[in-house]
Amino acid sequence: MKTHLVFAIMTVVLLALVISQTPRHSLTFDDVISQARRLAAEPWRPVEKVPSEVLQKLNYDQYRDIRLKDEHTLWQRQGLPFQARFFFTGHIHSEPVTIYQVNREGAGPVPFSPDFFNFGTLNTFPPEEAAKGGYAGFRVHYPINRSGTLDEFLVFLGASYFRAVPRDQVWGLSARGIAIDTEAKEEFPAFTTFWLVEPSPGASELKIYALLDGKSISGAYEFVVIPGAETKMRVRAVLFPRRDIKRIGIAPLTSMYWFGENTSNTFGDFRPEVHDSDGLQVALGNGEWIWRPLAWSWQLQINTFTTEKLRGFGLFQRDRDFSHYQDLEANYHQRPSAWVEPEGDWGKGAVHLVQNPTDKEFEDNIVAFWQPADGAKKGQRLEFAYTLTWFGENGGLPPIGRVWATRIDYQDQLYFRKVILDFGGGDLANLPADTAVEADLLISDNGAVEAVSVQRNSNDGTWRLTFTPKTARTNEPVEMRAALTLNGRPVTETWSYTWQQ
């Protein structure tokens, strides 16, 4: 009898130990997917802004002064390698989000109080207004640059926007969860709820779940983030459209381009170039690599690159030379590039590049995304997975010769230009100057090309292609493509450009 009692007690103790170490009400990605599916079946209810005009009318500097107190940093007390800090609602970020943390005890809300924040220069901020606030988003810190120093490397803030940096880079372009009707009257679905999964003490990656909701679509997202010399994000998205959506953008990237080496002037600015990104890179399903330099224009410009079995696309900051920017504050030469690599076959569709006119450097006027050929249908379940890589230098993309510079000489005649392209890298670096490198050059039917020349630049080992396009006196855009070949084989990516009068 005593033996049975001993075994019974041992069983209870072991069972209690197992239960204590098993997540209770543990949240999974399937749970988030279920929530997104239920939302899509219901009428859309927009998130209301915080009920405080004082918070909504904060200017940029006032809002930036509101900081979470260090002791309320998530996972700081545990000394974990990833630690999260939260943004207060206000300024243009006045829609609150719900944030949970997921640990061995399950999923629970992250507590909120205005007392968790310092209000900086707003030291007389009315307590009754602060009490109306909430969380607008979060940032994540990790020793990405130096061991023992937690640096901010990841931010989720505003609609479905997020951005990250790799080692030794500064903030630049952003990514989004989804883009809807970007080329028309744009809609901005938002991440309304986040679940931050507590990392282990020695973790090198962080998992985040997010629930997206908007007038036309809801969705569930899983992010697995791995910071480092290249910061990688493995993204899974499951989407449920509320209506048929023709213009749906998957894995959108957003950046800024004002002027650069291919622009006719610098608008009176002392800096030679101002941009977060200088080109779109696309790897088509047929193996061709496309480089589309970004350009300034008076009007909206939209370009599409149709393909099957997309291999990847991204917005790059190729030019890393400080002397080309001369900006000691913005450090445009240290802005990261971002590359989207699909997992699996995304089928037929096109990479869209949307370039909006701008007259300042504080507006993101560039958007690139993948649009499925069939769009999205109401009631359909769409699934996409991809790896989003943020990096500084070239990152080995493309693995062949690439465009180093695009310069446009505007000439004295209205309907003529002189185009100067410098190619480098790949096999080009080892070719003697007398190698028969040729130009594969195409122009749309409304244009013609003359004075084509290819020569090696002995100063830096690059190869220069120059040509003069001309067109009839119309306002139609002229499309141009160029690559360098050797014995009929491409040795560089394809340069693609739109000449607008």
Side-chain angles (χ1 to χ4, degrees), residues 197-247:
V197 181
E198 183 177 304
S200 62
S204 59
E205 64 180 41
L206 176 67
K207 181 177 290 187
I208 299 167
Y209 300 123
L211 182 66
L212 177 133
D213 196 25
K215 183 178 181 180
S216 301
I217 200 167
S218 67
Y221 286 74
E222 178 187 73
F223 301 90
V224 178
V225 189
I226 309 166
E230 294 184 342
T231 292
K232 292 185 175 292
M233 304 176 71
R234 298 197 302 269
V235 184
R236 293 172 62 196
V238 180
L239 304 169
F240 301 95
R242 285 188 170 94
R243 65 171 176 90
D244 292 350
I245 308 171
K246 181 180 179 180
R247 297 186 181 94

Side-chain angles (χ1 to χ4, degrees), residues 167-474:
R167 183 177 301 147
D168 298 325
Q169 297 290 292
V170 301
W171 295 112
L173 79 167
S174 301
R176 279 194 268 170
I178 201 72
I180 303 290
D181 292 337
T182 300
E183 300 160 17
K185 185 176 181 180
E186 188 162 12
E187 179 185 329
F188 292 91
F191 290 133
T192 60
T193 308
F194 294 95
W195 293 265
L196 311 184
V197 181
E198 183 177 304
S200 62
S204 59
E205 64 180 41
L206 176 67
K207 181 177 290 187
I208 299 167
Y209 300 123
L211 182 66
L212 177 133
D213 196 25
K215 183 178 181 180
S216 301
I217 200 167
S218 67
Y221 286 74
E222 178 187 73
F223 301 90
V224 178
V225 189
I226 309 166
E230 294 184 342
T231 292
K232 292 185 175 292
M233 304 176 71
R234 298 197 302 269
V235 184
R236 293 172 62 196
V238 180
L239 304 169
F240 301 95
R242 285 188 170 94
R243 65 171 176 90
D244 292 350
I245 308 171
K246 181 180 179 180
R247 297 186 181 94
I248 183 170
I250 306 300
L253 302 172
T254 301
S255 192
M256 179 276 294
Y257 184 93
W258 188 10
F259 58 86
E261 62 196 13
N262 58 328
T263 312
S264 60
N265 63 64
T266 60
F267 304 93
D269 200 290
F270 78 94
R271 298 164 295 181
E273 301 184 38
V274 174
H275 48 75
D276 285 338
S277 305
D278 54 13
L280 170 72
Q281 180 87 76
V282 184
L284 301 179
N286 63 3
E288 184 180 17
W289 289 82
I290 303 289
W291 175 252
R292 167 61 66 126
L294 301 181
W296 182 89
S297 175
W298 286 104
Q299 58 190 350
L300 173 69
Q301 181 175 319
I302 300 171
N303 299 99
T304 60
F305 303 88
T306 303
T307 188
E308 294 184 38
K309 298 181 179 179
L310 174 73
R311 295 165 60 199
F313 72 94
L315 290 174
F316 287 8
Q317 183 78 315
R318 275 191 177 171
D319 192 341
R320 320 296 297 181
D321 190 333
F322 168 78
S323 66
H324 294 179
Y325 301 96
Q326 294 293 334
D327 196 318
L328 292 172
E329 296 181 2
N331 291 314
Y332 286 113
H333 64 295
Q334 290 182 288
R335 302 292 171 113
S337 302
W339 177 249
V340 175
E341 184 176 0
E343 294 183 16
D345 184 359
W346 282 10
K348 297 180 181 180
V351 174
H352 287 233
L353 174 65
V354 181
Q355 301 181 87
N356 293 286
T358 187
D359 60 358
K360 59 180 69 71
E361 63 189 291
F362 307 112
E363 295 178 350
D364 284 340
N365 62 317
I366 306 295
V367 185
F369 54 84
W370 168 258
Q371 182 172 303
D374 297 330
K377 306 297 183 183
K378 180 180 179 180
Q380 182 183 20
R381 171 174 167 148
L382 295 172
E383 295 190 40
F384 293 91
Y386 55 95
T387 298
L388 176 54
T389 303
W390 310 75
F391 61 91
E393 292 297 335
N394 172 249
L397 299 171
I400 55 176
R402 62 191 180 98
V403 179
W404 280 28
T406 298
R407 298 181 178 88
I408 310 293
D409 189 334
Y410 281 70
Q411 303 290 293
D412 294 330
Q413 301 181 60
L414 281 177
Y415 303 103
F416 285 77
R417 293 288 188 270
K418 186 173 183 179
V419 178
I420 303 96
L421 305 179
D422 289 334
F423 292 86
D427 295 337
L428 292 175
N430 302 317
L431 297 180
D434 60 354
T435 304
V437 175
E438 298 181 324
D440 182 4
L441 186 57
L442 296 174
I443 192 167
S444 54
D445 292 341
N446 59 334
V449 170
E450 53 188 37
V452 180
S453 169
V454 179
Q455 64 183 112
R456 188 176 186 273
N457 183 345
S458 60
N459 295 289
D460 58 12
T462 62
W463 288 75
R464 176 165 289 185
L465 166 61
T466 61
F467 60 93
T468 302
K470 62 180 181 178
T471 185
R473 300 184 178 186
T474 70

